[in-house]
Amino acid sequence: QSALTQPASVSGSPGQSITISCTGTSSDVGGYNYVSWYQQHPGKAPKLMIYEVSNRPSGVSDRFSGSKSGNTASLTISGLQAEDEADYYCISYTSSSTRIFGGGTKLTVL
Amino acid sequence: EVQLVESGGRLVRPGESLRLSCAASGFTFSHHAMSWVRQAPGKGLEWVSSISSSGSFKYSADSLKGRFAISRDNAKNSLYLQINTLRAEDTAVYYCARDLWPQYYFDYWGQGTLVTVSS
């Protein structure tokens, strides 16, 4: 099974908003509301940012939001800050009871 | 405080076997599913395997089935990953993560342990 499709890179200036897409199929992203997003800084472990498509764990800034339409999930970061520069990964539950990650997106804050 | 500490990673030769461990603390280990995720150098995250709280249900990536085996010992608050017939492409940092079922997300991660497969 191929990885979910994410853009390799996105960029934005401080204060702007960016959106990272995560495209799968009806057997994963489109079939379940079990998409989560993780932020990873270089040399660090991933950190949960969004779960079940649009839920934000306590402690995560409300500048981070998630949504889904059809087979594509999205992570939006508003009011971009320098510390948001990192790699972002989506992951979905699948119809085979497995999980599949996206290829990852490198966010650059200009 | 939830803590997950992986161990067991080292330099191994192709064809050898290795068992990774993850020691959990700060929560009731036996109440939670757990998972392994790996990341090759400079590459993205790859889900490896998940196991239910009791250990009765196990799921693994199709590409890894047969060489990777997940297990747990709830009495020791420990998660394990047995990797057989190691290949160069198994070189990666291996993370353990607490897995929330049935919502299927990872809320806590360890810092990872590095496995290097090279002759």
Side-chain angles (χ1 to χ4, degrees):
Chain A
Q1 191 169 11
S2 300
L4 303 177
T5 301
Q6 295 183 234
S9 64
V10 297
S11 63
S13 300
Q16 288 186 331
S17 294
I18 63 95
T19 296
I20 299 172
S21 60
C22 170
T23 301
T25 70
S26 58
S27 296
D28 39 66
V29 175
Y32 306 91
N33 287 326
Y34 298 136
V35 175
S36 51
W37 289 88
Y38 300 84
Q39 176 192 65
Q40 186 180 36
H41 287 109
K44 300 295 187 182
K47 174 188 176 183
L48 176 67
M49 304 305 284
I50 296 287
Y51 66 96
E52 288 184 281
V53 174
S54 59
N55 294 316
R56 199 171 44 249
S58 60
V60 171
S61 171
D62 59 4
R63 298 185 298 104
F64 291 83
S65 62
S67 63
K68 190 184 84 168
S69 177
N71 295 338
T72 299
S74 299
L75 173 71
T76 298
I77 309 174
S78 59
L80 212 54
Q81 299 179 1
E83 62 259 34
D84 299 333
E85 184 163 296
D87 293 326
Y88 290 85
Y89 296 90
C90 61
I91 182 173
S92 175
Y93 180 77
T94 82
S95 57
S96 303
S97 300
T98 61
R99 320 289 178 87
I100 184 166
F101 273 104
T105 298
K106 180 179 180 59
L107 169 62
T108 300
V109 180
L110 302 170
Chain B
E1 178 194 5
V2 172
Q3 283 200 324
L4 299 171
V5 180
E6 301 92 338
S7 62
R10 61 181 176 88
L11 173 63
V12 295
R13 305 297 187 205
E16 292 184 347
S17 297
L18 195 63
R19 189 176 85 154
L20 306 181
S21 300
C22 172
S25 61
F27 65 103
T28 305
F29 183 72
S30 61
H31 288 183
H32 290 273
M34 298 291 295
S35 288
W36 288 99
V37 173
R38 71 179 183 178
Q39 185 170 37
K43 302 296 184 181
L45 300 172
E46 180 183 17
W47 174 75
V48 173
S49 191
S50 298
I51 187 168
S52 63
S53 57
S54 66
S56 298
F57 299 96
K58 303 175 184 180
Y59 304 94
S60 294
D62 289 341
S63 60
L64 303 178
K65 280 179 182 174
R67 293 195 302 118
F68 287 63
I70 191 171
S71 63
R72 64 190 297 160
D73 185 335
N74 286 344
K76 294 183 178 180
N77 290 340
S78 293
L79 174 72
Y80 306 104
L81 183 69
Q82 176 73 33
I83 313 174
N84 298 323
T85 318
L86 278 151
R87 305 168 180 169
E89 55 264 36
D90 295 322
T91 294
V93 173
Y94 287 75
Y95 295 101
C96 71
R98 194 173 78 167
D99 193 350
L100 275 290
W101 287 14
Q103 298 89 346
Y104 303 113
Y105 64 92
F106 312 123
D107 61 344
Y108 289 95
W109 298 64
Q111 285 305 302
T113 187
L114 176 62
V115 173
T116 302
V117 184
S118 176
S119 55

